[in-house]
């Protein structure tokens, strides 16, 4: 009796490769943001890290508000950034081992990706909470100005005009 293991169809392999590539991009973005998110930069267009992760809402903030959010995140993070990077590295190593196994255990591999996504989502939730807290601390006038800047960004495809940047 022949006990050969059937090979996965090509489309499954392609889907897996795409999934791995996307997850590696997310991993790279998280690690890059963690490594470079605390720097003060002159131009928001060059800025990575926490504020960029909240997208258009971060771009609509004034510089003092962006700094306040970054400070909130730094205070809540302490050494957590290094720990997150280490844990993401462990996930990648674990995933690598599953990828080498025959037969391929897609459920085990998917489990690693789900745990990784949970870690990334936790960081995203922290950024969102910091944004909400900062906006809640604004006066009515400040919130209206912020809403106007947000609307302007929406009207201009998500980009602030150079003279509008702080």
């Amino acid at each position: 009796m022949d006990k050969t293991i059937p090979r996965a169809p090509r489309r499954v392999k392609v889907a897996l490769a795409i999934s791995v590539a996307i997850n590696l991009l997310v991993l790279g973005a998280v690690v890059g943001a963690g490594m470079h998110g605390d720097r003060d930069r002159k131009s928001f267009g060059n800025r990575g890290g926490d504020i960029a992760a909240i997208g258009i809402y971060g771009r609509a903030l004034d510089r003092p508000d962006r700094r306040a959010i970054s400070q909130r995140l730094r205070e809540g993070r302490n050494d957590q950034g290094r720990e997150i990077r280490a844990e993401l590295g462990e996930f990648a190593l674990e995933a690598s081992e599953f990828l080498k196994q025959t037969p391929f255990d897609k459920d085990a591999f998917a489990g690693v990706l789900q745990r990784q996504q949970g870690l990334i989502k936790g960081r995203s939730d922290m950024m969102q909470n910091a944004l909400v807290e900062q906006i809640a601390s604004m006066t009515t006038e400040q919130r209206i100005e912020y809403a106007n800047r947000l609307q302007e960004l929406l009207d201009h495809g998500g980009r602030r005009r150079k003279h509008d940047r702080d």
Side-chain angles (χ1 to χ4, degrees), residues 36-37 39-49 52 59 165:
H36 302 294
R39 290 190 210 171
D40 183 26
R41 298 191 179 116
K42 303 278 187 228
S43 168
F44 186 76
N46 296 330
R47 187 181 301 257
R59 287 192 303 275
R165 293 183 188 145

Side-chain angles (χ1 to χ4, degrees), residues 130-150:
L131 173 67
V132 169
E133 290 299 319
Q134 186 62 33
I135 292 171
S137 72
M138 292 178 180
T139 65
T140 301
E141 293 79 20
Q142 289 171 323
R143 276 194 325 276
I144 291 170
E145 289 174 16
Y146 173 70
N148 290 337
R149 285 190 305 274
L150 183 59

